[in-house]
């Protein structure tokens, strides 16, 4: 059993309430997931601590996008293993993308882990914790299914997806936002509009760990923004892997009670057909409509922004809404990933360098002052000096306020790791990374000065 908490840390409302330490790795989506988990567990009587040494339960919300992030989480798992072997009674849970990607193999490799919960199953975390707390800390013999909640590879488009999403949606809907605990003094918050991703860029693990693209209902999103504004939030960042592909077709997905339900998004090709259908009058809410609704219906939100945009299919309507709405930030995070058409094709990005530049020109024609940020991957398999030079010239061609530069990291389960050898030596990746950082620093200074 989990050790009893000390007298001083007992919750008044729930004696012996276990104390939880939660650490988050990776992206903003994970930060939001952690906030929801903390809210959910707090409502159930768990207490949270900022000191891992005080915790009965240690949860790592992990990221799988690059190997480095996984290694960091693994070293924490190792440290907890040492403490458990020294006799400390700790329940260790690995949640998030790494749990989903590694699955039960992870628990076999690291027997100190008591529970695994993927990002698409976080609504089940209290049940898993309860099971572990009731039946005792792990031993090799009881690696039971009741400590593991993963979508598994069969989650894509199965008949049960809708039900799973509906239950996961409850986690967002029951959000207990505490302005005192939130970042930036509680004035700023994330709101998810889309889960998962359908794009399958060849290097990326996200479609495998977070599952298919599912759009939340516009009403739920607007309601959440309103609730946050009522609690004093003035800045909201809408989250999705490819926010501009947000599209909700009304009347096609209902819960058994007749409410509108989250909806699986169309793939890249189907998106254009669906967007065309919306212009023919099908009752849809596009990304532009959604931005407009939030801006008009929740005016207390003084700064509305969104990440991440996909360089394809950003409509003029969405750009116009941005330009015309004073409380929507003229900011785009729109990753180019590479400036070479050959590499973009191998990455399955679905656009060319010329199309990317055309989009930037179009965005600037609507918003001459727009701030543009992006992501670049260096050292993708087969990337030559010539390809790299094209990426450098892309950076010079766009007034990027900022670019996050990443060294390619082969990820298990992706197309790229199977299809291409990771043939760019690490020292070359490092050099290209440093060169781009230096170039971006010059560009940022220039943009800032202007
Ligand atoms: N290796 C390096 N960078 C990656 N990214 C995603 N997958 C990988 C990978 N396998 C980067 C992309 C993406 C950002 C979130 O992380 O640039 O936009
Ligand atoms: Fe990954 Fe591409 Fe989806 Fe972004 S758009 S999450 S890079 S697959």
């Amino acid at each position: 059993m989990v050790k009893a908490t000390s007298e001083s840390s007992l919750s008044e409302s729930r004696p012996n309430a276990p104390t939880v330490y939660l650490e988050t790795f990776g992206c903003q989506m994970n930060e939001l997931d952690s906030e929801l988990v903390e809210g959910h567990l707090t409502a159930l009587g768990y207490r949270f601590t900022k000191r891992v040494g005080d915790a009965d339960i240690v949860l790592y919300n992990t990221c799988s996008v690059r190997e480095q992030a996984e290694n960091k989480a693994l070293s924490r798992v190792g440290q907890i293993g040492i403490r458990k072997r020294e006799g400390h009674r700790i329940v260790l849970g690995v949640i998030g993308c790494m749990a989903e990607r590694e699955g039960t193999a992870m628990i076999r490799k690291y027997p100190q882990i008591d529970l695994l919960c993927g990002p698409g199953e976080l609504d089940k975390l209290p049940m898993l914790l309860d099971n572990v707390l009731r039946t005792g800390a792990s031993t090799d013999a009881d690696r039971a299914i009741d400590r593991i909640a993963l979508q598994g590879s069969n989650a894509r488009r199965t008949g049960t997806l809708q039900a799973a999403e509906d239950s996961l949606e409850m986690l967002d809907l029951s959000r207990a936002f505490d302005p005192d605990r939130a970042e930036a003094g509680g004035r700023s918050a994330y709101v998810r509009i889309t889960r998962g991703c359908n794009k399958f860029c060849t290097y990326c693990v996200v479609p495998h760990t977070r599952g298919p693209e599912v759009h939340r209902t516009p009403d739920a999103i607007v309601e959440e923004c309103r609730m946050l504004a009522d609690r004093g939030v003035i800045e909201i960042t809408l989250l999705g892997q490819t926010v501009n592909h947000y599209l909700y077709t009304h009347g096609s997905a209902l819960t058994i009670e007749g409410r509108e339900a989250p909806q699986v998004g169309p793939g890249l090709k189907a998106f254009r057909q669906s967007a065309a259908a919306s212009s023919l009058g099908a009752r849809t809410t596009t990304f532009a409509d959604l931005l407009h609704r939030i801006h008009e219906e929740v005016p207390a939100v003084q700064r509305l922004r969104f990440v991440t945009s996909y360089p394809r299919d950003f409509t003029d309507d969405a750009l116009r809404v941005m330009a015309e709405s004073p409380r929507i930030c003229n900011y785009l995070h729109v990753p180019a990933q590479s400036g070479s058409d050959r590499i973009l094709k191998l990455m399955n990005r679905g656009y060319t360098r010329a199309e990317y530049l055309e989009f930037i020109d179009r965005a600037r024609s609507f918003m001459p002052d727009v701030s543009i940020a992006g992501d670049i991957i260096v050292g993708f398999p087969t990337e030559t000096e010539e390809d790299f030079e094209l990426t450098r010239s892309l950076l010079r061609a766009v007034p990027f306020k900022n670019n996050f530069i990443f060294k390619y990291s082969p990820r298990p389960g992706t197309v790229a790791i199977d299809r291409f050898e990771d043939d760019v030596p690490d020292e070359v990746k490092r050099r290209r990374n440093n060169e781009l950082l230096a170039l971006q620093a010059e560009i940022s200074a220039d943009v800032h000065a202007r």
Side-chain angles (χ1 to χ4, degrees), residues 42-333:
T42 303
L44 294 171
Y46 289 86
R47 299 158 54 88
F48 278 75
T49 174
K50 297 247 179 281
R51 289 163 33 150
V52 64
D54 294 345
D56 308 303
I57 299 169
V58 174
L59 298 176
Y60 293 128
N61 189 5
T62 56
C63 169
S64 286
V65 167
R66 281 169 295 276
E67 193 182 1
Q68 211 182 6
E70 289 200 344
N71 287 343
K72 220 158 127 188
L74 284 181
S75 100
R76 301 281 204 282
V77 167
Q79 284 158 9
I80 299 295
I82 293 172
R83 290 190 53 211
K84 284 179 88 160
R85 283 193 293 278
E86 288 168 353
H88 293 271
R89 291 175 145 189
I90 302 166
V91 168
L92 174 59
V94 173
I95 64 177
C97 286
M98 200 173 171
E100 185 64 51
R101 191 189 71 65
E102 285 244 7
T104 45
M106 191 169 192
I107 240 170
R108 278 196 296 275
K109 238 187 295 175
Y110 305 96
Q112 65 267 43
I113 298 174
D114 296 292
L115 71 87
L116 286 177
C117 187
E121 303 284 325
L122 289 174
D123 52 313
K124 302 194 183 69
L125 182 60
M127 181 191 77
L128 301 179
L129 270 174
D130 213 47
N131 291 344
V132 176
L133 293 173
R134 272 189 297 104
T135 56
S138 63
T139 66
D140 271 345
D142 67 346
R143 291 281 166 236
I145 196 79
D146 63 357
R147 287 112 183 269
I148 299 170
L150 306 168
Q151 288 196 327
S153 52
N154 62 349
R156 282 205 163 261
R157 313 225 183 285
T158 63
T160 55
L161 177 65
Q162 193 68 54
E165 286 303 332
D166 207 34
S167 128
L168 186 60
E169 174 69 9
M170 295 316 288
L171 191 60
D172 285 68
L173 285 178
S174 63
R175 180 172 192 179
F177 182 79
D178 178 351
D180 296 333
R181 258 208 329 259
E183 295 301 313
R187 311 291 274 170
S188 154
Y190 296 122
V191 170
R192 187 181 342 253
I193 66 170
T194 302
R195 301 175 219 282
C197 185
N198 285 350
K199 306 298 177 284
F200 287 98
C201 302
T202 54
Y203 52 80
C204 188
V205 81
V206 169
H208 308 275
T209 57
R210 288 200 177 261
E213 191 175 287
V214 173
H215 304 289
R216 298 183 65 206
T217 73
D219 284 349
I221 296 165
V222 172
E223 234 1 87
E224 193 171 333
C225 292
R226 204 192 319 268
M227 179 275 284
L228 291 166
D230 288 347
R231 297 191 190 169
V233 166
I234 56 168
E235 178 177 290
I236 286 182
T237 303
L238 305 176
L239 294 185
Q241 306 299 340
T242 58
V243 279
N244 49 311
H245 272 204
Y246 180 85
L247 187 69
Y248 193 89
T249 305
H250 294 274
S252 70
L254 297 177
T255 64
I256 19 180
E257 300 92 47
R259 275 186 295 112
E260 281 193 322
Q263 195 171 84
V264 175
L268 194 52
K269 283 196 191 104
F271 176 82
R272 286 192 164 163
Q273 288 159 8
S274 313
S278 85
S279 64
L280 293 175
R283 214 164 70 75
T284 59
T285 296
T286 62
F287 182 57
D289 298 332
L290 182 70
L291 284 179
H292 184 69
R293 262 195 76 176
I294 301 171
H295 184 264
E296 296 305 306
E297 293 180 36
V298 199
V301 173
Q302 285 159 36
R303 282 188 297 278
L304 180 62
R305 60 177 109 230
F306 49 86
V307 291
T308 293
S309 301
Y310 198 60
R312 265 184 72 159
D313 304 315
F314 207 111
T315 62
D316 282 355
D317 284 349
L319 292 170
R320 195 170 301 113
V321 171
M322 285 178 77
E324 290 174 357
S325 308
R327 293 180 304 280
I328 300 182
C329 299
N330 287 354
Y331 168 81
L332 288 168
H333 179 242

